[in-house]
Amino acid sequence: MSARRFGGAHSPDPATRAASSLPRRRSPSVRREALRLDVRARLMYVLPLPLLFATFWDILSGDLAGTARAVLALALLMGGAFMLNEGQKAHRAYAARAVARRPAIPRKIIAAVLTGLGVGVAQIAGATPDPFVAAGFGAVALVAHLAAFGIDPLTNKGIDLTDAVIDRVAHALDEGERLLREIHDDARKIGDGQITEQLASLGDEVRAMLRRVEADPRDLDRARRYLSVHLVGAHEATRKYAETLASDETAAEDPRLRADYVSLITELEQSFQRGRASMLGEDRTDLEIEIEVLRDRMGRERAVR
């Protein structure tokens, strides 16, 4: 697809500029819950900081054994905080999918164990060390951690699928979201509100197809072939359009270039609509025709280069 095929960075009517964007918006309650979990998890980085003062005091006092215990406790607690935050991210990604594999590493459980060990070692590093008291404090910290943050998902989620199919579904969904994010980034570079709004509409159609695959992974093969042509085509076209505007100052003044790009994005969105309707109607023939038509067009566009 020729870089000169696309142009025009600005909408003819500045009033049409929009603040719409491609990333999926979460509901306010989901955002509040995620923020609450993020704040609590990040606080776990702050709570062990008093051990730094204990470490400095032991160093000044020449207590090498106490210094080692304080450093070990700090390392365990910081490691627990890190694993907890990573576990929260993995858990949210798991919860956002209708079909997902359980996390390969139980990070939140490991975080609870590290926190329990860290609290126990910190108690031993105190003024009145007692192994039994330290073990008790560590056990309480472990249980409290699990009660506050929960454990990692331990089972795969979705209809009865093999691990291989779940991996394929997850990869297709992640790849689709990645391409949409990159399209959004390029749309910001273009700086055209009307185009941004149109790309947001295209993103809605793409995500509707991704959600259908989540609900019924049996549609994966058809949807993946479709996404590999339509979505990749939109991604390449938007990237090259943005690159053209950045490298050619005259491109923004040529309405034909902008019209060519907008026409292609419009056709891609309409193709997604027809393709999704074909999937809903279990019409394989119409879907295959849509794929071949767009593949031919994208081939002709590349030949112009």
Side-chain angles (χ1 to χ4, degrees), residues 200-215:
S201 179
L202 172 63
D204 290 340
E205 290 295 329
V206 174
R207 288 195 173 94
M209 183 171 287
L210 295 177
R211 300 293 81 77
R212 175 171 172 81
V213 173
E214 277 190 322

Side-chain angles (χ1 to χ4, degrees), residues 92-140:
R92 283 199 299 272
Y94 175 92
R97 297 286 187 219
V99 177
R101 290 193 66 181
R102 65 183 182 275
I105 301 174
R107 298 174 179 87
K108 293 167 73 174
I109 295 176
I110 293 175
V113 173
L114 290 175
T115 300
L117 290 173
V119 169
V121 174
Q123 202 284 328
I124 292 178
T128 56
D130 185 323
F132 296 103
V133 174
F137 272 106
V140 170

Side-chain angles (χ1 to χ4, degrees), residues 94 97-101 155-161 166 214-215 217:
Y94 175 92
R97 297 286 187 219
V99 177
R101 290 193 66 181
T155 60
N156 297 333
K157 183 171 67 169
I159 62 178
D160 188 16
L161 301 171
I166 292 175
E214 277 190 322

Side-chain angles (χ1 to χ4, degrees), residues 221-281:
D221 288 336
R222 287 189 292 160
R224 186 169 57 180
R225 292 177 58 196
Y226 197 75
L227 294 169
S228 68
V229 177
H230 290 66
L231 184 55
V232 170
H235 176 262
E236 291 181 355
T238 304
R239 176 178 59 81
K240 291 174 182 176
Y241 181 32
E243 290 175 352
T244 298
L245 298 181
S247 61
D248 186 349
E249 294 181 358
T250 64
E253 308 302 326
D254 190 342
R256 182 182 63 83
L257 299 178
R258 181 182 186 278
D260 286 342
Y261 171 75
V262 170
S263 174
L264 177 60
I265 295 301
T266 299
E267 181 177 339
L268 288 168
E269 182 179 357
Q270 293 172 350
S271 295
F272 255 105
Q273 292 171 346
R274 291 191 295 266
R276 193 159 57 88
S278 296
M279 290 178 66
L280 292 171

